[in-house]
Amino acid sequence: MLIEFKVENFLSYEEMAEFSMVAGKERISTETLASIKKFRLKLLPVAAIYGANASGKSNLIKALEFLQFLVTTPRLKGKIPLRSFCFRDERKTVSRFEISILVNDLIYEFKIACNENEILHEELIERNSRTERTLYIRDKEKVQVNPNLKAHDMIQGIAERTKDNPCPLITSLYGMKFELFQPIFKWFSEDLQIIFPDSVYLSYDRLTDANDPRNALLSEILKGTDSGISNLISVPIEASAVNLTLSEKNELRSAVTNGRNQVIREPNGGRILAYYKDGDVAFKRIIAIHDVSGKEYSVALEDESDGTRRLIDLSPSIADLVHGNEHSVYVIDEIDRSLHSDINIWLIKKILGTLTPESRSQLIFTTHDTNLLRRINLRRDEIWFVERGKNCSSHLINASKFEGLRNDSSLQKLYEEGRFGAIPNIIGQNKLDQPANGWNSMRTAFSTS
């Protein structure tokens, strides 16, 4: 599970921004909180991030994706693809990322600082309920590995040989099969799933398989949201029907040979599944099935609406959150993209309805759908706002930080009125005249609301 994420000097985040999934002191919806008893910690299962266009919502997710990329890429070609904050005369060259995660009942804190040429600092800390130990600290000039670690001498030797590599030490240690570092790496590579509006999630092969138990849930999602679709199927097609260059096909062959099925999004809206078969890459086309008056009709996905295709792309992640990987962390940018508000509400309620204190999955999403603030019983610590400051830097704040809010306050109404900021500053629009990044003064603005 994600506990906390911090980023500094990346895209629109100039100063250190802190995003936390630690539950506050609110007493509503406590039954959905993940209870980590050994740490006396309660974690949020859901977080909604609001803000105007170009405020920095997506950039927060891109920062998390960059950290994921940095950790899971064993060999970087060329420079580190860092995108630092650019709206200043003298650009800062160093970016910092910090993350705390819960893996196998242990808390790991990972910190890294880098520029586009090298990693300047890296640190990995392991916490148990009563103990804490630094597994290693890597600086530009030296690496210090905890002397009490099993195989310390070997780890220290690898650390010394790779300290000049532009990739994290944890990546090298994972590649060398050291057991201690396997769960942490796999959290980044498998449990953390980041989905942007143009992403296509890769588990269609399971969800179009009638023998997979989640196939029934996929059908329920498609029927329950009035998509008109009763099911999805996959139909084999010839490789000649897929328009790919030789290099693209070689990349696909390499991916599927390693067991990573791929989904190809066609320009016309179709979806093709690439998978491994008989020593080569094979293809299936995803087809929607409509049940009309007891008869089934096949419809190509390119003939479905944008909203329906978006729903289909999100359905595997919803199925995973409800009945799949119990440790999955899904981060979805613009979850409401092309979807009706009622569908957003139905999907999120579906997830919330399955949660218990023993649940360990999380959903984090950005949205413009203010109806969620009224129609879903989100806790205030599950709601975040992003606002762009006068210098174009992004600032992040949790709704629970605003003082003077009554328990019966309408968060939707207050947000739409501009009381939380994080809305477009449209010329001539009669909203509250709040200065950009004026949150300090706004925190006491609710005592008479």
Side-chain angles (χ1 to χ4, degrees):
M1 299 188 77
L2 177 64
I3 299 173
E4 188 176 58
F5 175 61
K6 299 180 182 180
V7 58
E8 177 185 348
N9 190 36
F10 186 82
L11 292 173
S12 59
Y13 289 90
E14 181 182 18
E15 304 299 329
M16 183 70 81
E18 300 181 12
F19 177 82
S20 175
M21 295 296 287
V22 177
K25 297 180 180 179
E26 292 190 62
R27 296 183 179 180
I28 68 166
S29 300
T30 57
E31 71 280 358
T32 65
L33 299 178
S35 178
I36 319 299
K37 294 181 179 179
K38 66 183 294 185
F39 291 101
R40 297 182 179 179
L41 178 68
K42 292 186 182 296
L43 296 178
L44 301 169
V46 171
I49 305 171
Y50 285 87
N53 297 118
S55 62
K57 302 186 305 298
S58 297
N59 287 344
L60 181 68
I61 296 179
K62 289 177 182 177
L64 185 59
E65 181 194 40
F66 174 81
L67 181 59
Q68 181 189 48
F69 164 82
L70 200 59
V71 170
T72 58
T73 305
R75 291 183 178 86
L76 286 173
K77 297 180 180 179
K79 295 186 175 182
I80 298 173
L82 193 62
R83 292 178 287 173
S84 58
F85 182 79
C86 61
F87 295 106
R88 54 182 295 157
D89 293 336
E90 295 184 9
R91 294 178 63 167
K92 294 191 292 185
T93 59
V94 179
S95 298
R96 292 178 171 82
F97 305 85
E98 299 180 14
I99 193 167
S100 295
I101 57 177
L102 177 73
V103 182
N104 296 341
D105 290 328
L106 293 172
I107 291 177
Y108 294 94
E109 183 177 348
F110 180 68
K111 303 177 182 180
I112 194 164
C114 62
N115 57 31
E116 63 179 12
N117 296 311
E118 59 187 342
I119 292 175
L120 304 172
H121 180 81
E122 182 183 349
E123 185 174 352
L124 181 61
I125 300 170
E126 178 192 82
R127 292 193 176 96
N128 210 325
S129 56
R130 296 183 179 180
T131 61
E132 173 184 316
R133 61 175 180 168
T134 298
L135 300 183
Y136 65 79
I137 298 178
R138 168 190 180 184
D139 287 319
K140 184 177 179 181
E141 302 298 333
K142 64 179 182 179
V143 183
Q144 181 177 350
V145 177
N146 189 317
N148 296 319
L149 294 186
K150 183 179 179 181
H152 164 266
D153 292 345
M154 189 178 298
I155 295 174
Q156 184 71 49
I158 293 170
E160 293 291 343
R161 292 194 299 272
T162 61
K163 70 175 185 293
D164 295 327
N165 290 354
C167 69
L169 175 57
I170 189 175
T171 310
S172 301
L173 296 175
Y174 167 79
M176 297 299 291
K177 308 298 183 183
F178 287 103
E179 184 178 355
L180 175 62
F181 304 98
Q182 303 294 307
I184 312 164
F185 184 93
K186 288 183 178 180
W187 185 90
F188 281 100
S189 62
E190 298 177 11
D191 292 346
L192 178 61
Q193 298 285 339
I194 299 176
I195 301 175
F196 290 99
D198 58 351
S199 300
V200 179
Y201 189 52
L202 303 181
S203 63
Y204 285 102
D205 55 327
R206 291 176 297 166
L207 295 177
T208 55
D209 181 359
N211 296 320
D212 193 296
R214 279 169 291 184
N215 183 270
L217 179 59
L218 173 65
S219 179
E220 180 185 349
I221 292 172
L222 295 172
K223 291 178 181 177
T225 53
D226 195 29
S227 68
I229 300 174
S230 59
N231 204 356
L232 296 178
I233 62 171
S234 55
V235 179
I237 59 174
E238 296 295 330
S240 58
V242 184
N243 186 20
L244 294 173
T245 65
L246 180 60
S247 62
E248 289 172 336
K249 187 172 182 179
N250 287 336
E251 287 181 10
L252 273 177
R253 182 182 293 110
S254 175
V256 301
T257 300
N258 292 323
R260 302 192 307 271
N261 292 347
Q262 303 291 304
V263 173
I264 302 168
R265 175 181 286 193
E266 296 180 294
N268 62 2
R271 304 288 190 270
I272 294 175
L273 174 68
Y275 63 104
Y276 183 76
K277 181 181 179 182
D278 299 333
D280 201 358
V281 58
F283 301 93
K284 292 181 181 180
R285 184 174 296 280
I286 309 300
I287 303 293
I289 301 299
H290 289 249
D291 189 333
V292 180
S293 301
K295 294 183 178 180
E296 291 188 344
Y297 298 87
S298 300
V299 178
L301 290 193
E302 53 263 38
D303 294 329
E304 300 286 356
S305 70
D306 287 341
T308 298
R309 288 198 294 268
R310 175 64 169 163
L311 176 64
I312 290 171
D313 288 340
L314 288 179
S315 292
S317 60
I318 304 302
D320 259 359
L321 284 166
V322 174
H323 284 308
N325 180 2
E326 62 178 7
H327 300 290
S328 58
V329 178
Y330 278 91
V331 184
I332 303 177
D333 191 27
E334 296 188 31
I335 196 172
D336 52 337
R337 177 79 168 266
S338 299
L339 294 181
H340 191 279
S341 179
D342 285 352
I343 293 178
N344 293 326
I345 292 166
W346 189 90
L347 291 174
I348 296 171
K349 282 186 174 180
K350 184 72 177 176
I351 295 169
L352 290 173
T354 66
L355 296 173
T356 69
E358 288 70 42
S359 299
R360 295 294 181 265
S361 60
Q362 291 172 306
L363 170 64
I364 300 165
F365 60 90
T366 70
T367 181
H368 293 290
D369 188 355
T370 62
N371 287 315
L372 300 179
L373 296 173
R374 175 175 56 88
R375 295 178 58 188
I376 295 182
N377 194 29
L378 291 177
R379 296 162 51 94
R380 290 177 187 176
D381 48 12
E382 293 175 332
I383 301 169
W384 290 82
F385 300 107
V386 182
E387 184 163 89
R388 187 176 69 249
K390 291 181 179 180
N391 66 341
C392 291
S393 63
S394 296
H395 301 270
L396 183 67
I397 193 170
N398 189 263
S400 65
K401 300 298 183 181
F402 289 86
E403 299 174 0
L405 280 171
R406 296 202 308 257
N407 291 333
D408 61 348
S409 296
S410 169
L411 298 185
Q412 180 186 23
K413 179 175 181 291
L414 293 172
Y415 176 58
E416 291 175 348
E417 287 178 349
R419 299 294 189 98
F420 296 114
I423 59 173
N425 185 20
I426 299 174
I427 297 175
Q429 190 172 38
N430 186 25
K431 294 282 186 179
L432 274 176
D433 186 20
Q434 291 287 357
N437 195 28
W439 279 330
N440 287 335
S441 61
M442 293 195 306
R443 289 184 187 180
T444 59
F446 301 100
S447 57
T448 59
S449 299

